[in-house]
Amino acid sequence: MVLGIESSCDETGAGLVENGRLLGHAVASSMDEHARFGGVVPEIAARAHLHSVGPVVRAALADAGLGLRDVSAVAVTTGPGLSGALQVGVAAAKSYAYALGVPLYGVHHLAGHVAADTLEHGPLPDPCVVLIVSGGHTSLLLVRDLARDPIVHLGDTLDDAAGECFDKAARVLGLPYPGGPAIDRAARGGDPRAIAFPRPMTGPRDDPYAFSFSGLKTAAARWAEHHPDGHVPDAAASLQEAIADVLTRKALAACRDHGVRDLVVVGGVAANSRVRALAEERCAAAGIRLRVPPLRLCTDNGAMIAAVGDLLVRAGVEPVPLGVSIDPSAPLEHATLVPAA
């Protein structure tokens, strides 16, 4: 049984996974403490993790009806993320691994998002196209064996990620932080065709799998500047439609061009109702099988890190030394991430 610990940003998560099955998990968020600043404050996040990590691990164990002595391995996010936040999680994981005398595994945060889907739908198809959409990352990947094989990047964001666009556009529209859920709520009362926001990087000469959302963010700011009394739900719905259109259009193109019949959409923005709905609609029309984790596993959590740890254990991957460090800006190349101290 693998205990997973996640602390890369503003959620402290712990989860317990055994043979691909989620036994229990718990999450504590410091989001309310960051909301008045309009974004995550690294020092506040690190202090919140320090206070939360022990109680969250205990809560996950209680959720599973188990004790620490039942843990046979520990997995922890070693990057990317906020440096101070990562340090807290890694220090806790090292302590648990040492005290219990069990192996420790370092996990790439984004691989965790990919593995989250396995807790709901079973092993990933080999191969599959994965669309990761979150506050700091937007990428299209070709994934085979997540535990053993290198992860192939088909395309990444060139500037702002989709989640960052949601957050910054929400601010200029007068909506609260975090922007993604706020825009999703506001969009329910709006017309997605009301405003012709641009679809970045979708021209015939553009990279078919790359993303760029800084221009869309600027377009939302310009609209708010020139329409101070404009109908915000229309702007929210139109912005959300533009983001969902670009994400799903490129993901389906990647599946078609690489002859892949399975698309997996993961990350915090995968919780967006329009992204999910449009992905379902377009995949059904194209004959592509779509997999999206349940809402509780889309945002950062410890269960997804435990899921990767479980895959690594079953694949016979070597554990990391207790001296393992962190890499706040690590590229996604493999599921395991072992930065040197």
Side-chain angles (χ1 to χ4, degrees):
M1 186 183 69
V2 180
L3 166 65
I5 296 176
E6 154 65 22
S7 69
S8 65
C9 191
D10 58 343
E11 276 100 10
T12 313
L16 296 151
V17 172
E18 184 176 38
N19 293 322
R21 187 166 64 95
L22 177 60
L23 304 178
H25 80 123
V27 177
S29 175
S30 59
M31 188 175 294
D32 290 345
E33 298 176 57
H34 306 286
R36 62 194 178 104
F37 300 102
V40 176
V41 180
E43 292 81 2
I44 293 176
R47 286 197 295 270
H49 289 307
L50 192 61
H51 290 297
S52 299
V53 65
V56 163
V57 169
R58 290 193 291 273
L61 287 164
D63 186 44
L66 298 167
L68 273 174
R69 294 193 179 189
D70 296 307
V71 172
S72 53
V74 178
V76 63
T77 302
T78 48
L82 303 174
S83 178
L86 289 168
Q87 292 281 14
V88 174
V90 169
K94 289 178 179 180
S95 300
Y96 284 117
Y98 179 76
L100 297 171
V102 300
L104 176 67
Y105 293 85
V107 172
H108 195 290
H109 174 77
L110 297 181
H113 278 301
V114 178
D117 182 72
T118 67
L119 300 175
E120 182 71 11
H121 299 120
L124 291 171
D126 180 3
C128 60
V129 168
V130 177
L131 172 65
I132 295 182
V133 273
S134 68
H137 305 273
T138 303
S139 297
L140 272 170
L141 313 170
L142 185 62
V143 176
R144 291 191 174 276
D145 186 320
L146 184 62
R148 296 181 175 91
D149 295 334
I151 295 167
V152 178
H153 285 248
L154 303 177
D156 299 283
T157 187
L158 304 179
D159 41 56
D160 292 357
E164 187 176 356
C165 181
F166 271 130
D167 284 339
K168 292 180 176 177
R171 183 183 301 181
V172 301
L173 294 175
L175 296 172
Y177 176 84
I183 285 180
D184 203 348
R185 289 190 298 269
R188 294 169 194 163
D191 179 359
R193 297 164 296 181
I195 303 166
F197 283 131
R199 270 55 171 171
M201 296 290 292
T202 56
R205 297 185 180 180
D206 289 318
D207 185 325
Y209 313 129
F211 299 93
S212 170
F213 292 103
S214 62
L216 182 55
K217 171 195 67 180
T218 302
R222 292 292 172 265
W223 181 89
E225 180 183 342
H226 293 111
H227 301 83
D229 299 317
H231 191 53
V232 170
D234 280 350
S238 298
L239 178 81
Q240 180 173 262
E241 188 69 20
I243 292 175
D245 181 21
V246 171
L247 291 173
T248 56
R249 189 188 306 190
K250 287 177 175 279
L252 267 291
C255 290
R256 180 185 63 246
D257 296 347
H258 289 82
V260 175
R261 308 306 300 170
D262 295 274
L263 172 64
V264 184
V265 183
V266 299
V269 178
N272 179 271
S273 63
R274 185 54 183 155
V275 171
R276 295 171 82 96
L278 192 56
E280 289 174 5
E281 176 186 321
R282 289 181 168 174
C283 283
I288 299 294
R289 291 179 291 267
L290 175 67
R291 295 174 37 149
V292 188
L295 296 180
R296 64 193 174 91
L297 295 178
C298 286
T299 52
D300 293 351
N301 60 84
M304 68 186 198
I305 304 305
V308 177
D310 175 62
L311 290 173
L312 296 174
V313 169
R314 289 190 282 149
V317 175
E318 285 294 313
V320 302
L322 286 179
V324 67
S325 186
I326 62 166
D327 186 347
S329 57
L332 176 58
E333 298 172 344
H334 296 86
T336 184
L337 178 61
V338 192

